[in-house]
Amino acid sequence: RLVVFQTADSYAPTAYLDQDGNPAGFEVEVIQAVDELLPQYEFIIEAVPRESLENNLISKKSDVVGFKMTKAVSETDNLRAGNEQYDTIVERIVILAENVDKYHEIADFAGKTVYCFPDEEHQEDFPLNVYNREHPDNPINIVYLSDPATCVNDLKTGKADGFTRSQ
């Protein structure tokens, strides 16, 4: 049986495209090991933009998706996700070096614009979402954007004050 596995294409070291354009990372290595253990299945591994993973699964372009698809990330009437996350994520807010003395904690971004990846919008425990719930009178202006190049450019031009980066 053929199984199409999809994961993200730009989230090293978990899931990304290597310099030759091939899927690489921890998730790819896990699926390759599973493929070796289950000869009755043939796995095709694809790395795609992470915002398309859920739609590809629903539309049957893939049979299985990875990339941290846990209940905290995604659960709908059509999908059920695992309960366990296999990695630890530390959120950081990237700022310009010239602003290092200006920002020391999340509260320093109140009233400022911070770009975040779209999947962080629905994570109740995402630090900026928690801050905004606890400080509705002075929230952080969160813009959900998936293009890293735009994040960097807008930070340089002053359109954004920071952007989140998981490590």
Side-chain angles (χ1 to χ4, degrees), residues 91 93 103-114 116 120-121 123-142 144 164:
E91 291 292 339
I93 299 177
Y103 300 108
H104 302 284
E105 57 188 47
I106 290 177
D108 295 336
F109 290 93
K112 305 292 184 186
T113 299
V114 177
C116 301
E120 294 165 338
E121 180 176 7
Q123 295 180 21
E124 291 183 24
D125 61 345
F126 181 64
L128 299 185
N129 295 339
V130 171
Y131 178 88
N132 280 353
R133 269 195 317 276
E134 294 174 355
H135 303 88
D137 295 333
N138 195 17
I140 297 167
N141 178 29
I142 301 173
Y144 297 99
T164 59

Side-chain angles (χ1 to χ4, degrees), residues 2-11 14-18 21-32 35 42-57 59-69 86:
L2 185 65
V3 177
V4 177
F5 171 81
Q6 289 185 341
T7 189
D9 64 356
S10 60
Y11 202 80
T14 304
Y16 61 98
L17 292 172
D18 66 17
N22 298 311
F26 173 76
E27 287 191 343
V28 171
E29 292 172 14
V30 168
I31 294 301
Q32 288 170 336
D35 189 23
E42 177 187 348
F43 285 85
I44 295 176
I45 301 171
E46 300 175 346
V48 299
R50 70 187 195 169
E51 60 270 11
S52 67
L53 288 169
E54 189 171 312
N55 286 335
N56 286 355
L57 186 61
S59 66
K60 302 190 185 300
K61 291 180 182 176
S62 64
D63 299 301
V64 179
V65 296
F67 194 67
K68 305 184 301 180
M69 296 299 279
Y86 52 79

